[in-house]
Amino acid sequence: DKMEKLLVQKDGKIITVGGARVGGSNYSIYASRHNADGTLDETYGENGIAYFKVNPLIYMNYAFDAALNEDDYLFITGYTFDYSNNTAFILCLDENGIENTDFGENGFAISEYGNGIVYDAIDIDDKGRPIVAGYYNDNILVRRYNIKGNLDKSFGENGTVIIKPDPSPYAWSYAYDIEILENGKILLTGHKVSESGIYVSYLLRLRSNGSLDTEFGNEGILELHAGEYAEYAE
């Protein structure tokens, strides 16, 4: 088992999110809720813990990050892996730890299959829309969904922004964390790997429509260069 995210609701209850193996060999997504004294909140999920699988036949159903909206609905993001390739997902749970059937398909918004797609981070904007960040085909990926779990086509290109900070075909770029600012702009962090194998971490800022905010850093991207040979931002 591995816990990936810790959140606190407005009422002080504690939520943890991660991956666990229960009742078989395949991994499940899990969410637990605890009272302020640490005891399990038995009104949540099944006796305090809820388990989910995007696809029960796939070995890895795994959560990487989560965020709460204003109504304490929980949005979990991560990926599945079938030993060949990936899909990525957002799972929306209501205040009782049950799939929100008004979001996506039975609570899941699932990406296309292939190209090593991973959603690593999630945040919720002031309109209740989840925005995920990660990577696709080894390039930075950012996507915005609407409150119904469909890609928001007003963001980027039909809901998707793909960024390649290094133009070399042999350079890789990944996003690992996201923060939506009060003005609606989107801040990302992660690292890129140059053709020569040097890791450089970065900060990147987007406007609310998904375009690079050229007023930030160098045309929207700030390379940190915290280390001489390798640095990581996760």
Side-chain angles (χ1 to χ4, degrees):
D1 299 0
K2 186 177 181 184
M3 183 177 72
E4 293 284 356
K5 187 68 175 184
L6 176 69
L7 297 164
V8 180
Q9 295 183 171
K10 294 186 292 292
D11 62 4
K13 290 186 177 182
I14 303 161
I15 289 178
T16 73
V17 173
R21 295 175 72 175
V22 290
S25 59
N26 292 350
Y27 276 87
S28 296
I29 305 149
Y30 88 83
S32 70
R33 188 164 72 189
H34 302 254
N35 299 307
D37 64 1
T39 58
L40 278 170
D41 177 2
E42 295 185 356
T43 67
Y44 191 81
E46 185 174 344
N47 298 319
I49 305 177
Y51 299 97
F52 307 92
K53 290 181 180 178
V54 183
N55 186 334
L57 301 179
I58 291 178
Y59 169 69
M60 181 68 79
N61 295 265
Y62 206 69
F64 277 147
D65 198 15
L68 290 165
N69 73 4
E70 288 299 313
D71 298 318
D72 282 334
Y73 276 41
L74 180 65
F75 291 79
I76 301 171
T77 197
Y79 80 108
T80 69
F81 181 60
D82 64 1
Y83 292 104
S84 177
N85 224 314
N86 297 18
T87 60
F89 68 85
I90 301 173
L91 168 62
C92 180
L93 305 181
D94 68 15
E95 71 276 17
N96 300 309
I98 298 170
E99 299 100 318
N100 173 21
T101 56
D102 289 332
F103 183 85
E105 185 173 344
N106 297 319
F108 282 96
I110 302 173
S111 77
E112 67 275 38
Y113 175 86
N115 289 304
I117 187 168
V118 172
Y119 294 170
D120 259 306
I122 189 168
D123 201 3
I124 311 296
D125 72 9
D126 60 1
K127 294 181 174 63
R129 298 173 298 192
I131 303 179
V132 293
Y135 51 93
Y136 184 72
N137 200 18
D138 293 323
N139 294 314
I140 297 165
L141 170 71
V142 188
R143 280 181 169 159
R144 187 167 72 199
Y145 288 79
N146 62 28
I147 60 173
K148 291 293 186 180
N150 302 311
L151 282 171
D152 179 358
K153 295 186 178 181
S154 68
F155 182 80
E157 185 174 343
N158 294 320
T160 298
V161 174
I162 294 177
I163 302 165
K164 188 176 179 64
D166 189 326
S168 166
Y170 304 104
W172 306 333
S173 305
Y174 309 99
Y176 290 119
D177 205 358
I178 184 171
E179 183 76 21
I180 301 173
L181 307 176
E182 289 185 1
N183 59 9
K185 293 184 178 183
I186 302 160
L187 194 64
L188 304 175
T189 189
H191 62 253
K192 69 175 189 177
V193 187
S194 70
E195 186 174 353
S196 58
I198 301 298
Y199 284 65
V200 176
S201 57
Y202 67 83
L203 290 172
L204 180 154
R205 196 167 75 189
L206 302 177
R207 300 185 182 96
S208 59
N209 64 3
S211 61
L212 279 168
D213 182 1
T214 55
E215 296 179 354
F216 181 81
N218 181 13
E219 297 299 312
I221 301 174
L222 174 65
E223 295 184 1
L224 299 181
H225 295 289
E228 294 182 17
Y229 302 105
E231 57 188 27
Y232 303 90
E234 294 190 14

